Amino acid sequence: MNFKKKRVLVTGGAGYIGAHVCQSLQPTQCDVAIIDNLSTGFESNIQNGELHPIDLNEWDSINQFIAEYKPDAVIHFAGSIVVPESVKNPLKYYQNNTANTLNLIRSCISNNVKNFLFSSTAAVYGIPDTGICTESDHLKPINPYGRSKLMTEMMLEDIASSSNLNYVALRYFNVAGAHESKQMGQRMPDATHLIKIIAQVLTKKRKEMAIFGFDYPTPDGTCIRDYIHVCDLAHAHVLALNYLLDGGKSAVFNCGYSKGFSVQEVVNAAKKQFGDFNILHGERRDGDPPQLIANADQIKAILGWQPKYNNLDLIIQSAVEFEKTI
Ligand code: UFG
């Protein structure tokens, strides 16, 4: 595929994952336009692409932008991503993740945009029977965040089957780490994600952290997640975009390493690498499933995705290295 002449619109391209994906698109030489309201994104994250500070709520501005830019593909990251916040403030999630995406898709349809790459989440699975998630599993999200994303997947499926739109939904497992350039990363100081919080403790920005729940049905009682390096995830987007631009049919893929680590194991790995730090015993956090691990056979078979950074120590180290720079 010759990306060179293609125009790609990236919503949320100033955010953590969006900025890594824009950077990964640099060698393809496609034209990248970024829409981001900078509510959780940072201009300093952007290494590739021109920023247009538009809010996805502003239907007229979005629609006008898409009509003029005429993207060959839209990659849609913009949204809210914090599970416990979604439990406390579901309206925000249905607005930012579901309603705003419906507007974006509507604009894509009216402007004949044919390719849509969507950031979905492992949270759509809820509590999988075996703890291993396969794309064809029954989807029963247990928090508003997961439901807000699942609704978007359902909208995309219905709209794609009645229009020219093809889409790929990538279901991210637990994304962490940073690019070795240290120019892009998780910059939000009030982070909630485990490896980010560990990086803040290790760089003395936080005194201590808590593990939320020791009574889950897992070997050490703490929740198990499949941590994926953001650069492997970014590469998955380049492959998915290529697949769509080559005429691939609509599809959903898990993005994870198929290997789970408990919260305690992640903490132990960080301590082994960087030294001891204080851990509190917290209560369970609302909306947390005990275990989420990806079956990633589909993305490997269909997109030819091969992870390069599947090493927990490396993921933690890159997160800490980035944290030192901000
Ligand atoms: N955790 C702690 N202490 C902390 C922070 C997190 O014990 O200070 C625990 C959580 O309770 C959970 C695990 O670490 O058991 C991972 O929590 P994160 O907040 O890092 O991530 P989540 O699993 O809640 O959610 C993330 C993304 C979602 C995605 C999900 C998929 O935010 O978008 O991974 O697994 F859906």
Side-chain angles (χ1 to χ4, degrees):
M1 168 56 58
N2 181 6
F3 278 98
K4 206 167 176 179
K5 300 179 200 78
K6 302 295 178 187
R7 282 183 301 277
V8 180
L9 173 59
V10 181
T11 75
Y16 166 51
I17 301 171
H20 277 85
V21 170
C22 290
Q23 197 265 359
S24 292
L25 287 171
Q26 204 151 28
T28 67
Q29 293 180 27
C30 59
D31 187 73
V32 174
I34 294 171
I35 287 180
D36 199 306
N37 66 4
L38 301 179
S39 61
T40 55
F42 292 81
E43 212 166 340
S44 51
N45 268 340
I46 299 175
Q47 307 303 316
N48 179 36
E50 189 179 333
L51 175 65
H52 304 268
I54 306 174
D55 196 303
L56 275 185
N57 254 322
E58 297 163 10
W59 160 254
D60 289 341
S61 314
I62 292 287
N63 198 41
Q64 190 186 340
F65 186 84
I66 291 181
E68 282 167 13
Y69 185 61
K70 299 189 191 349
D72 295 286
V74 169
I75 309 183
H76 178 40
F77 294 101
S80 301
I81 59 157
V82 178
V83 172
E85 183 192 45
S86 80
V87 178
K88 289 195 186 75
N89 188 359
L91 265 179
K92 176 174 175 182
Y93 282 70
Y94 292 118
Q95 178 64 52
N96 288 351
N97 294 355
T98 314
N100 286 355
T101 307
L102 179 61
N103 272 342
L104 179 65
I105 300 169
R106 180 180 290 127
S107 176
C108 288
I109 297 294
S110 37
N111 291 293
N112 201 24
V113 176
K114 295 202 175 63
N115 301 298
F116 197 94
L117 180 46
F118 173 58
S119 309
S120 192
T121 169
V124 297
Y125 290 106
I127 303 182
D129 291 341
T130 60
I132 314 283
C133 309
T134 301
E135 289 86 346
S136 56
D137 283 355
H138 188 51
L139 303 172
K140 275 202 330 208
I142 61 165
N143 49 57
Y145 169 65
R147 282 193 275 271
S148 70
K149 290 281 188 172
L150 177 56
M151 285 181 191
T152 304
E153 282 197 21
M154 293 162 111
M155 295 187 316
L156 279 168
E157 187 181 350
D158 290 342
I159 294 164
S161 61
S162 66
S163 70
N164 283 334
L165 189 80
N166 276 326
Y167 75 95
V168 166
L170 295 179
R171 292 181 183 155
Y172 309 161
F173 284 66
N174 286 59
V175 189
H179 189 268
E180 61 187 6
S181 68
K182 300 180 222 167
Q183 287 170 325
M184 303 152 281
Q186 282 180 295
R187 293 182 190 269
M188 294 288 282
D190 51 351
T192 58
H193 290 108
L194 178 65
I195 291 180
K196 166 76 180 178
I197 286 178
I198 290 174
Q200 289 177 320
V201 174
L202 287 170
T203 52
K204 313 275 183 248
K205 292 175 189 169
R206 284 182 194 238
K207 250 184 35 221
E208 59 203 2
M209 57 167 288
I211 292 181
F212 300 136
F214 285 85
D215 57 349
Y216 284 96
T218 60
D220 65 20
T222 67
C223 289
I224 293 176
R225 296 287 183 275
D226 185 340
Y227 294 90
I228 170 173
H229 193 292
V230 66
C231 291
D232 278 331
L233 182 68
H235 185 57
H237 287 76
V238 178
L239 296 173
L241 182 61
N242 196 1
Y243 166 87
L244 281 172
L245 293 173
D246 267 348
K249 63 179 174 33
S250 295
V252 177
F253 299 113
N254 284 340
C255 295
Y257 292 148
S258 309
K259 180 154 176 52
F261 291 96
S262 72
V263 177
Q264 185 69 67
E265 285 172 327
V266 176
V267 166
N268 292 348
K271 286 186 174 185
K272 193 164 170 216
Q273 197 175 171
F274 291 100
D276 202 14
F277 52 89
N278 202 16
I279 295 289
L280 306 174
H281 279 226
E283 294 296 312
R284 281 186 179 207
R285 197 176 68 173
D286 283 345
D288 275 346
Q291 174 170 311
L292 288 171
I293 298 176
N295 173 324
D297 292 349
Q298 288 296 313
I299 189 167
K300 288 179 178 163
I302 297 175
L303 299 188
W305 181 68
Q306 285 303 333
K308 282 209 268 185
Y309 306 97
N310 45 349
N311 175 320
L312 182 63
D313 291 335
L314 177 73
I315 294 174
I316 297 171
Q317 187 201 23
S318 69
V320 173
E321 288 304 317
F322 175 74
E323 195 65 40
K324 286 181 190 162
T325 69
I326 57 173

